[in-house]
Amino acid sequence: MDRIVIISSGLAGAKTAARIKRQAPSAEVNLIVPIEVEEGSKEGVFGKFNPMAHVSSVLLDAKQISVLPVSSMELDFENKTVHASSPQGCIPIRYTKLIMEIDAAPRLPRSVRGAQNVIPWPLEQTGVVDEWLEAYKPQTAVVYGGAHAMSLIDPLVEAGVAVTWARSECSEFDPDFWHVVSDRIESGTEGKVRVVPVTETAVLPELSAEGDVRALNCGSEVLEGDVFFWADMPRAVHPIVAEQGVDLDPSGFIAVKEDFSCGLEDVHLFGSAVAVKRAEVAGKSDAPFEASSVDSLVAHGRVLSAIALGQTMAWQGSCASSRYQAADCVAFRTGLTQKEAVEAGYEPEFVMFDAAPVLAGIHANAVVKLVCDKATSVVLGAQVCGGLDAGWIDAVASGAAVALAANMTVQALSGVDMAAGGQILNKAASMLSNKLEERIYGITPDELIASREAGAKFFILDLRDQIAWRAGHIEEAYNIPFTQLKKRLQDEVPRFTPLVIVSHNSDIPYSIACYLYGLGAKSLYVLDGGMDLWPYDVVEG
């Protein structure tokens, strides 16, 4: 009889076990769960905000899946045996297939490993953090890290702790998109969270006489706190890494093949510490990705259940979808970022704009960035940020993932009939199509400032109304409200000077640029993101 053993601490492993048992009732399926995870605290703020870390033994027992809580285990890959230590004693479990979930773990710098007030993140045992908060009752916390740090914000705020987020530049989002995420989190927490970007300087811990961390020196700022969470650059830290045949990818994650095999016979790995094959985009598939989101891991579990049962299943690879949430902010990324596209050898083009005016009823600051390959027009990735009540964000991310899996061009995506959030993708793809045909160019705030400092001449046309104009505009910009443009265009807008069209966002400027292109205008630029995303000083009055 086949015995499939799954070692997992989360929802994805439990779902995989249940799926295998449902499809092959005669197979013996054993789910091994660490005791500290199964019995972790669910009453504290961290336990409530991280429900995916808890496996329901009662539910799995009802599905006739053997759940074994263990305190420790040893793996004998040569004899295909797991030696599990449980309250019943040491139990040897032989397997025909072994599926292991391996989570990434943060690596603390040596200088802070002895500090009692530094907590690495993420942790499987979230109850430990709840117990620590209850015992020490800190008033302030400094969180250091990138996207993974976002999961700390809500439980800390819920516990009444003031948070300073020393936000490192991780690859989940492009630098210009990080500004959007940071601003939304600060505004959504009403002053309870302060975001301090850490981009160029190394973070240096300052220790107290007792050996605890007193502050983080981030170059221009020194961030003091009662407790410090370290959530920067998780890596694969697991005994299996030392096994012969198991390799790491350049990012420090465990490299697996398309069937999730790792070089050990009948052993398949998944989890946030595992680098899986990315979907082939424009013929390239050399960029593995850490699947950090629960949804991604559940999707991998579906593939693993088919592999364990010897079923044929076409694995299209990971579209690198990750979803992060904090305060009134949901941030999604699917596929390659602009920076990753450059590193992978593409010449990317992108569009970034405020999506709120495209869909009726959306009043929040919702931003979309779509990236494609200039040479082939193939969609490479998307980044989306909006409020918790903006359910269409998931539709945008799902639509972008489908476009990636299908190697869809922006021209094709612009014509796909989609409802709700899909309209956002249609709009973004249409803007990108115009860019690629060199009818219209996009220009970022950084590019505009750098070009002007280098001596380039632009006529900056601001289409906002007088109230918005007086509240703040780009230096030397010229204001013609959108409703008056046709009447004043011929007399007030120069014909042969490169034109940068500006409004609250990028939507109306792209429409106006297309109109002007039809009239024969050339050298048309649209300010990416518009004034809503302008990060620099403005002129008032």
Side-chain angles (χ1 to χ4, degrees):
M1 177 184 294
D2 288 341
R3 174 176 281 171
I4 300 169
V5 175
I6 300 171
I7 302 174
S8 174
S9 60
L11 180 68
K15 281 182 169 290
T16 302
R19 187 176 295 105
I20 292 172
K21 190 65 178 180
R22 184 173 62 250
Q23 296 183 3
S26 62
E28 186 169 348
V29 182
N30 298 120
L31 178 63
I32 298 177
V33 181
I35 286 177
E36 64 269 20
V37 173
E38 188 190 40
E39 297 178 352
S41 169
K42 301 179 186 180
E43 300 304 321
V45 289
F46 275 85
K48 292 177 181 178
F49 276 97
N50 295 276
M52 297 304 184
H54 306 291
V55 177
S56 172
S57 300
V58 175
L59 177 63
L60 292 172
D61 284 342
K63 296 179 181 294
Q64 297 182 319
I65 296 170
S66 171
V67 180
L68 179 64
V70 301
S71 55
S72 64
M73 72 184 81
E74 293 184 3
L75 302 171
D76 183 351
F77 297 113
E78 184 176 351
N79 295 305
K80 294 187 176 182
T81 303
V82 179
H83 297 278
S85 297
S86 72
Q88 291 77 35
C90 184
I91 304 173
I93 305 173
R94 287 186 58 82
Y95 61 83
T96 54
K97 294 283 186 183
L98 177 64
I99 297 173
M100 296 178 63
E101 179 181 0
I102 300 180
D103 290 325
R107 288 183 175 176
L108 292 176
R110 288 185 179 180
S111 59
V112 301
R113 288 177 188 173
Q116 298 298 309
N117 65 337
V118 177
I119 300 174
W121 187 261
L123 280 180
E124 285 186 338
Q125 302 95 328
T126 55
V128 173
V129 187
D130 285 322
E131 293 171 4
W132 195 97
L133 290 176
E134 179 63 26
Y136 291 95
K137 295 181 171 54
Q139 299 298 308
T140 59
V142 175
V143 175
Y144 173 60
H148 291 281
M150 290 176 66
S151 61
L152 287 161
I153 291 174
D154 284 346
L156 287 173
V157 171
E158 179 76 13
V161 180
V163 179
T164 299
W165 179 14
R167 196 209 71 217
S168 60
E169 292 284 5
C170 76
S171 61
E172 286 297 295
F173 303 105
D174 285 316
D176 54 2
F177 207 82
W178 266 122
H179 293 303
V180 177
V181 176
S182 300
D183 290 347
R184 184 162 197 96
I185 289 176
E186 284 191 327
S187 62
T189 55
E190 299 178 345
K192 298 175 183 176
V193 175
R194 184 169 73 98
V195 182
V196 178
V198 180
T199 55
E200 298 178 356
T201 58
V203 173
L204 300 176
E206 296 184 1
L207 303 182
S208 66
E210 293 77 21
D212 288 340
V213 175
R214 183 186 65 81
L216 293 184
N217 190 324
C218 301
S220 60
E221 291 200 53
V222 176
L223 308 178
E224 298 182 345
D226 299 327
V227 60
F228 296 80
F229 288 85
W230 205 274
D232 188 52
M233 301 296 288
R235 291 288 185 269
V237 182
H238 192 276
I240 199 173
V241 172
E243 292 292 330
Q244 188 173 1
V246 176
D247 297 321
L248 297 181
D249 81 329
S251 301
F253 300 107
I254 301 173
V256 295
K257 300 177 182 178
E258 293 186 24
D259 62 351
F260 293 85
S261 61
C262 62
L264 301 172
E265 185 180 3
D266 293 321
V267 177
H268 304 271
L269 307 179
F270 76 115
S272 61
V274 176
V276 299
K277 174 181 175 291
R278 195 192 290 273
E280 293 189 8
V281 179
K284 298 186 181 183
S285 58
D286 57 351
F289 178 73
E290 172 221 348
S292 57
S293 71
V294 172
D295 290 339
S296 294
L297 299 184
V298 171
H300 295 168
R302 296 190 191 101
V303 180
L304 282 164
S305 63
I307 291 171
L309 297 172
Q311 300 172 349
T312 301
M313 185 168 186
W315 170 231
Q316 298 298 324
S318 170
C319 285
S321 296
S322 300
R323 187 181 193 273
Y324 300 96
Q325 180 176 319
D328 184 30
C329 173
V330 175
F332 237 122
R333 67 72 61 85
T334 301
L336 296 172
T337 63
Q338 183 184 359
K339 182 179 179 181
E340 289 173 334
V342 172
E343 293 171 350
Y346 297 100
E347 186 182 359
E349 183 58 271
F350 77 97
V351 64
M352 188 165 101
F353 67 104
D354 183 352
V358 180
L359 293 177
I362 294 181
H363 304 292
N365 180 20
V367 178
V368 173
K369 181 172 184 177
L370 187 67
V371 181
C372 77
D373 177 39
K374 277 187 178 180
T376 61
S377 303
V378 170
V379 175
L380 296 179
Q383 297 162 67
V384 195
C385 178
L388 295 180
D389 58 347
W392 58 270
I393 289 180
D394 298 287
V396 173
S398 298
V402 171
L404 280 164
N407 271 342
M408 193 176 293
T409 65
V410 291
Q411 291 83 0
L413 181 58
S414 67
V416 175
D417 186 13
M418 290 186 283
Q423 298 172 16
I424 299 290
L425 279 179
N426 293 147
K427 170 69 76 172
S430 178
M431 292 177 179
L432 264 179
S433 179
N434 281 324
K435 275 191 173 185
L436 293 175
E437 293 175 12
E438 297 187 346
R439 297 176 178 175
I440 303 164
Y441 304 95
I443 188 167
T444 67
D446 289 344
E447 290 171 339
L448 178 58
I449 288 177
S451 297
R452 292 175 70 179
E453 289 178 349
K457 301 297 183 182
F458 294 102
F459 184 85
I460 302 175
L461 175 60
D462 193 321
L463 300 176
R464 296 174 300 159
D465 59 40
Q466 283 287 311
I467 295 176
W469 164 264
R470 293 193 185 98
H473 56 268
I474 300 172
E475 186 177 6
E476 297 182 5
Y478 189 85
N479 179 230
I480 301 180
F482 167 66
T483 54
Q484 303 174 22
L485 182 62
K486 287 187 179 181
K487 184 188 303 182
R488 298 169 58 181
L489 177 64
Q490 186 171 354
D491 295 333
E492 300 182 42
V493 178
R495 296 185 180 183
F496 304 109
T497 302
L499 183 63
V500 178
I501 308 174
V502 177
S503 188
H504 293 284
N505 51 72
S506 304
D507 189 31
I508 290 177
Y510 270 104
S511 298
I512 294 300
C514 290
Y515 167 72
L516 296 177
Y517 182 86
L519 296 178
K522 306 296 181 184
S523 298
L524 295 166
Y525 295 83
V526 170
L527 180 66
D528 285 311
M531 292 304 295
D532 289 346
L533 302 182
W534 178 261
Y536 300 110
D537 293 337
V538 294
V539 178
E540 297 181 1

